[in-house]
Amino acid sequence: MAGLSDLELRRELQALGFQPGPITDTTRDVYRNKLRRLRGEARLRDEERLREEARPREEAQPRGEERLREEARLREDAPLRARPAAGSPRAEPWLSQPASGSAYATPGAYGDIRPSAASWLLPVDCERKTDEFCQAKQKAALLELLHELYNFLAIQAGNFECGNPENLKSKCIPVMEAQEYIANVTSSSSAKFEAALTWILSSNKDVGIWLKGEDQSELVTTVDKVVCLESARPRMGVGCRLSRALLTAVTNVLIFFWCLAFLWGLLILLKYRWRKLEEEEQAMYEMVKKIIDVVQDHYVDWEQDMERYPYVGILHVRDSLIPPQSRRRMKRVWDRAVEFLASNESRIQTESHRVAGEDMLVWRWTKPSSFSDSER
């Protein structure tokens, strides 16, 4: 069987009445098993036909021959009735040495009562029987159907994963398509196919077959809701497995380098951010120092009657320290400096005064001028 070429395998299947599909590396074993099964069925049909042909010939023999055979049998049995009874001394040699022509001389002269080997090959109708033999036969048929269904779905799923040469829409094969295939391969009825699906639903074992409905995210509980069948273990060739493994390895390497580049970029961004914060903090301290000098100088000028008020507006200080083109860029530095002075500088007090008819926040230098002059 293994030595058959693809062309010989196709011709053998066609000669037995089965029309195979494309014979590939994934379907060759399935069609070999189908050819082996078809040959066995053909052999059983030939033996049944020979028995049916032999039965009319036996029934058509003349009744005269039957009477002759009956008379011959009676003549052969007559000497037996005249022989010694069993248990007498003269009976032992007789029983141990059968006479020629006696019915007991050749065991099996009337036929062996044990069934011949061919009788076990006769078809048995187990559809409505529940005896042990029929249950075992039905279980074997169910397992064979599940095996063929598993192979079919695994091959189809493998083809879908490996380039999809048959242009399948999905790995999930429609129920009608799977049923037609099983009917062609195993000659099983739709009732047996539904029984197999029912067994899969009721069994807690992982048989490698998924039953899916319209919404594939929901669990199917009844056979009538099954829309398609999918293999949990696609069967792929060596080349396909190697290419997929290589693709997976390359993808993982690329993902690794992308993650490494992302982390490296993130580290550079964080270092840049830290440097900017340090520069901003340094600029804020410089701005605080400039503000202190301006407020202190204004207070000194007020003491010398060079200024009208002892306080100075906050916005006036900002405008005198920051040029107009830099105020938007320096806004964050200025806000942090103002906040720092309000929280950490006791020599400058923030007040609200009406200047030129408008309320305005101002800074006042609170330290005595004598100390200010000595510091300067």
Side-chain angles (χ1 to χ4, degrees), residues 40-275:
E41 294 175 357
R43 192 180 304 111
L44 291 177
R45 288 196 297 269
D46 292 341
E47 292 177 358
E48 181 66 21
R49 181 174 53 81
L50 292 176
R51 284 194 295 270
E52 291 178 355
E53 292 177 355
R55 190 178 299 112
R57 288 198 297 269
E58 294 177 358
E59 294 176 355
Q61 290 180 348
R63 292 184 176 274
E65 294 181 2
E66 295 180 1
R67 287 196 299 271
L68 292 176
R69 285 198 300 270
E70 183 67 22
E71 292 175 359
R73 185 179 63 80
L74 293 175
R75 285 196 299 271
E76 291 173 356
D77 291 344
L80 294 177
R81 290 191 295 270
R83 289 169 187 160
S88 62
R90 291 164 48 188
E92 299 302 329
W94 173 253
L95 294 174
S96 61
Q97 299 292 334
S100 61
S102 170
Y104 300 94
T106 56
Y110 291 111
D112 193 355
I113 61 174
R114 294 175 300 177
S116 62
S119 65
W120 294 103
L121 300 177
L122 293 177
V124 180
D125 184 13
C126 287
E127 291 293 335
R128 299 182 180 180
K129 295 183 180 180
T130 59
D131 57 276
E132 184 176 354
F133 173 77
C134 286
Q135 289 182 355
K137 183 178 178 182
Q138 291 178 353
K139 182 177 180 180
L142 178 63
L143 293 178
E144 181 184 3
L145 190 150
L146 289 173
H147 178 71
E148 294 292 345
L149 181 61
Y150 173 84
N151 289 336
F152 172 70
L153 295 177
I155 292 172
Q156 295 296 90
N159 291 338
F160 184 83
E161 295 288 348
C162 299
N164 194 14
E166 299 182 6
N167 296 323
L168 299 175
K169 296 181 179 179
S170 171
K171 291 189 295 184
C172 200
I173 307 301
V175 175
M176 295 304 300
E177 184 177 343
Q179 183 176 347
E180 290 176 1
Y181 174 83
I182 294 300
N184 291 332
V185 175
T186 63
S187 301
S188 300
S189 61
S190 59
K192 292 183 178 179
F193 183 80
E194 293 180 0
L197 299 185
T198 303
W199 184 86
I200 295 175
L201 290 175
S202 60
S203 176
N204 294 326
K205 300 179 180 179
D206 181 14
V207 297
I209 299 176
W210 292 335
L211 306 183
K212 297 184 177 182
E214 291 289 346
D215 188 358
Q216 297 189 2
S217 61
E218 296 182 357
L219 184 63
V220 178
T221 56
T222 57
V223 176
D224 57 347
K225 294 183 179 180
V226 178
V227 175
C228 60
L229 297 86
E230 181 179 343
S231 174
R233 305 177 184 90
R235 185 175 299 171
M236 297 175 285
V238 178
C240 178
R241 291 181 181 274
L242 289 177
S243 62
R244 288 173 62 85
L246 180 61
L247 180 61
T248 303
V250 172
T251 304
N252 291 336
V253 170
L254 290 178
I255 292 175
F256 171 76
F257 280 109
W258 274 109
C259 292
L260 189 62
F262 174 77
L263 293 177
W264 182 259
L266 183 62
L267 179 60
I268 293 176
L269 181 62
L270 290 176
K271 291 179 66 176
Y272 173 78
R273 179 62 178 170
W274 291 333
R275 186 172 67 252

Side-chain angles (χ1 to χ4, degrees), residues 298 307-316 351-364:
H298 182 83
E307 292 289 343
R308 183 177 180 182
Y309 301 106
Y311 49 82
V312 59
I314 294 177
L315 297 181
H316 178 71
E351 299 176 354
S352 178
H353 288 274
R354 181 173 292 273
V355 179
E358 184 179 355
D359 292 336
M360 180 182 299
L361 291 176
V362 297
W363 279 326
R364 178 195 294 270

Side-chain angles (χ1 to χ4, degrees), residues 332-362:
R332 180 175 174 84
V333 175
W334 172 260
D335 292 341
R336 290 188 62 185
V338 172
E339 183 180 355
F340 180 85
L341 288 171
S343 303
N344 301 283
E345 183 56 62
S346 62
R347 295 174 298 178
I348 296 179
Q349 183 176 358
T350 303
E351 299 176 354
S352 178
H353 288 274
R354 181 173 292 273
V355 179
E358 184 179 355
D359 292 336
M360 180 182 299
L361 291 176
V362 297

